Amino acid sequence: MTLALLSDYFPLELEKGDREEKFITSGVTWQAYESLLTSLGNSSGYRVAYLLETLEIMSPSRNHELDKKNIGRLLEVYLEEKRIRFWGLGSMTIKSEDKQAGKEPDECYCIGTDKEIPDLAIEVVYTSGGVDTLEIYRRLGVIEVWFWQNEQFTIYCLENDSYQVKSNSQLLPNLDLNLMAEYVTINDPLEAITQWRKQVKDNTNS
């Protein structure tokens, strides 16, 4: 599908709002994918994924964005209190023409040192189906992926070029993600951050 066809179809299919929607199409060239990214620009609220000529465009819901923000803030509080160096890259587009893969995570981070490809990608899942997110990240070499779905985290770590489900983060082995999940679901973000910071400090000092 050409960029012109995408541009004609795309605005009619997805509208920003409380409802999460996806548009998926095949036969999209890499050049059309990159042109679409340029057309959308950095201000776009959409998430775009590409894998082997299949393109996915998602319009995230309000709850999706709230969870994304809450997870990012809580993780950064942990990293700050533990004095772990990090680079928060938000929804930066990660892509490789050679690998025919590209993705805009909900959040992504380099841990320890700054890198071209982030160590950690975080995905908030409210709508199932679509392109194979893990295959995109595998091709790009992201070593750890967290999925947030049904108010819990699932952790995937890249080992021998394939992802394995783990009970805890390999990048941040002392982070209790089951405990952090309880704070993600607190309705008041300020209260969640305040309580979480105290929890992390208490654990650090104990």
Side-chain angles (χ1 to χ4, degrees), residues 1-3 24 27 40-41 53-54 58-59 61 103 106 122-123 133 136 142 146 154 159 165 189 195 199:
M1 180 175 285
T2 66
L3 177 61
I24 302 170
L40 290 174
E53 296 195 346
T54 296
M58 184 185 71
S59 168
S61 66
K103 188 78 174 70
D106 285 311
I122 301 172
E123 294 287 335
T133 299
I136 294 175
V142 177
W146 300 352
T154 304
E159 295 180 356
V165 178
Q195 291 184 23
Q199 176 75 50

Side-chain angles (χ1 to χ4, degrees), residues 17-67:
D18 289 345
R19 196 172 53 164
E20 187 162 287
E21 299 181 73
K22 286 184 180 180
F23 165 57
I24 302 170
T25 188
S26 59
V28 179
T29 66
W30 183 263
Q31 291 72 25
Y33 163 61
E34 289 204 317
S35 295
L36 179 61
L37 293 178
T38 301
S39 176
L40 290 174
N42 294 328
S43 62
S44 169
Y46 300 106
R47 303 281 192 279
V48 182
Y50 183 89
L51 177 63
L52 298 173
E53 296 195 346
T54 296
L55 178 78
E56 174 187 290
I57 306 169
M58 184 185 71
S59 168
S61 66
R62 182 177 187 273
N63 286 336
H64 181 123
E65 294 299 271
L66 284 171
D67 283 356

Side-chain angles (χ1 to χ4, degrees), residues 23 77 99 105 141 144-145:
F23 165 57
V77 164
K99 302 294 185 180
E144 192 161 305
V145 182

Side-chain angles (χ1 to χ4, degrees), residues 129-172:
V131 299
D132 187 339
T133 299
L134 282 178
E135 176 60 15
I136 294 175
Y137 285 135
R138 185 193 69 80
R139 286 170 174 262
L140 295 172
V142 177
I143 61 176
E144 192 161 305
V145 182
W146 300 352
F147 284 93
W148 171 258
Q149 187 174 21
N150 299 324
E151 299 188 346
Q152 62 184 3
F153 289 103
T154 304
I155 306 159
Y156 292 88
C157 297
L158 192 60
E159 295 180 356
N160 300 318
D161 202 35
S162 66
Y163 282 107
Q164 306 296 325
V165 178
K166 299 291 183 178
S167 59
N168 63 297
S169 169
Q170 306 299 289
L171 285 169
L172 304 166

